[in-house]
Amino acid sequence: MILYALRCACGHEFEQWFKNMADYDTRKADGLSCPSCGGTEVAKAIMAPRVGASKPAPAPAPMPACNPSGCGNAMCPMSQMA
């Protein structure tokens, strides 16, 4: 299914669902009409894509608590305090 933004010759804008692009062409040839005025001069309007917002990155895992007697990791801030 595809959603098209449409506009009639009178300037009315509306949206309509179609099975695919060929379905739009077929229905337009058969007399697609504006729901507001009934006009059959209908064309696709410019439409911005609807892109979903990205999911936030997961929070980094918390650092394990240091062993009071030292963890032996030279990068550990606790080992640099001694």
Side-chain angles (χ1 to χ4, degrees):
M1 297 291 287
I2 187 167
L3 179 67
Y4 283 133
L6 304 171
R7 179 181 294 149
C8 75
C10 297
H12 299 121
E13 294 185 0
F14 59 101
E15 294 179 338
Q16 194 156 352
W17 286 98
F18 298 91
K19 292 178 188 175
N20 51 40
M21 291 187 308
D23 182 37
Y24 166 78
D25 294 333
T26 301
R27 290 173 59 188
K28 182 167 170 53
D30 290 343
L32 181 63
S33 63
C34 172
S36 296
C37 67
T40 56
E41 196 174 325
V42 175
K44 292 179 198 173
I46 295 174
M47 186 171 172
R50 293 182 181 169
V51 178
S54 63
K55 294 180 182 177
M63 294 294 292
C66 287
N67 184 341
S69 62
C71 62
N73 181 352
M75 299 299 292
C76 178
M78 294 302 286
S79 67
Q80 295 173 6
M81 293 176 74

